[in-house]
Amino acid sequence: MAIVKPFKAVRPTRAIVGLVAARPYQSYTVNERESRMEYNPYSFLHIVNPGYKYDQEVTGKERYKLVKNRYLEFKEDGIFVQDEKPSFYIYKIVNRYGQKFNGIIATTSAEDYERDVIKKHEDTLAKREQTFKTYLKTVGFNAEPVLLTYPDNDTIAKIIRETQKGHAEFEFTMTYRDTHYLWKIDNKDTIATIQKEFEKMETIYIADGHHRSSSSYLLYKDEKGRNPSHNGTESYNFFMSYLIPESDLVIHEFNRLIKDLNGLTKEEFLIKLDEGYRIENRGLMPYNPSKPHHFSMYLDGEFYSLYLRKTNYQFKTALDALDAQLLYKTILRPILGIHDLRNDDRIEYVNGKHEMITIKSSVDSGEFMVGFGMCPSNVQQMKQIANEGLKMPPKSTYILPKLRSAITIYEY
C-alpha cells in the first residue's frame, strides 16, 4: 500500500516562475551559474549559491545557513508564496523533442521507503546521504522532487486529463525549450480518490533521486528518534516526489569512455575480447547496437560490433542480464582493470542522448583510448532488479524527465 499525501507547496508567483525555476545546481558550469545569477535576480541559483552575494565561495554548514537566509528573503519579498490548502499538483513537461510527461507532485512516505514499498535500483554513497541530510535539516525545505514511477492507472490518468482541461497555475518555457505546466488539485474528494488508487499499489519505484530519497529517510529516522511525541503526521515523515506512470518514463543508456587499455596493445586487447565476444570490424561508419547484449566499440579510428558469446556467460539474475553489468563483468573489470565504477578516474560516462559520434570525437581527441555504446535498459528490467533486491551499477540509466528545482517546494 503506497501512501501519498497532499501538501501546502511553497511556489513562485505565476509572473516569474520561469525566471525562478532552475536545473539542478551541479548541472551548470561555473560560468553558466554566474551568468544566470548576474542577469536574473529571481533565479533559484541565488538561494543555493548564497556566497555569490558576497563574491566568495561558502561551503559546509555555513553555506546551508545562508541558503536558508536567502530562501527566507525570497519569501519575505513575495517571490515565493505558500498555498493555503493541502493540494496535489498535476505537472506536465513537454520537451524540445516533443516527449510528454504527465504526473502528480505529492509527498510520499519515509516509512514506505523503509518498508520497501518504495523500491530502489541503485546504490547510494553514505557520505552524500549524510551531507544532504544535514542540508535538509539546516535549510528546512526541499525544492526538487524525487522521480517515482507507478503502474499505469486508468483512474489517475482520467483525473490528470480532466484537470488539464482547466486553467493552468503555471505555463512557461525554459531556455532548453522544454515547456512546463502546473495545475492544482485541492478538492477533497479528488484527493481521496487519488490516495485510494495509490493505496491499491503494492510497490512504486524510484526512477531518479536515490540520494534525495535516502537522505530524507535518514532525516526522518533522526527526527523520529528525537521527538518523544512522534505520531507519524509530522512533515519529516514525508518527502516530495513527482509520480509518473511507467509508460511516461523514458530511459536512455550511459555509454562508457576509457582512458587506456590497461597496458595492453590494441592487438592484445582485441584477442582478449575475442574470448567472450564475436567481433566484427564496422570500419569508419558509426555503429549502434540494435539489441541487448550487443555493444558497439570505437577504437583506433574504427567502429566494431561486439556480440556476446553466451556459452561463456550465465544469466542467473536480472542484474546479470543488464548490459551495464555485463560490460563491467566481461570487459571493464577483467580486461581493463576497472573495479570501482564510481571512483576510478579512468572511466567517464556519456548519456545516450548523444550519438556515437560523441564517443568518436572523444577518442579521436586522444583523451580516451576506447569507447563503448550499448542499448538502453527498460522499465521492466529496472523493476525486476529492484524486486530482487539488487542494485544496478552506477550510470546504468539516464532517465527522463529531468526536473527543475523550485517549481514546488516542500517545507520540513
Side-chain angles (χ1 to χ4, degrees), residues 33-49:
R33 284 199 301 266
E34 290 184 353
S35 175
R36 289 174 186 269
M37 287 187 287
E38 181 178 357
Y39 295 106
N40 179 6
Y42 299 109
S43 175
F44 185 70
L45 293 173
H46 284 283
I47 292 177
V48 293
N49 190 26

Side-chain angles (χ1 to χ4, degrees), residues 332-343:
L332 300 184
R333 185 178 65 186
I335 299 177
L336 294 176
I338 294 175
H339 297 273
D340 187 346
L341 292 171
R342 290 188 183 276
N343 300 309

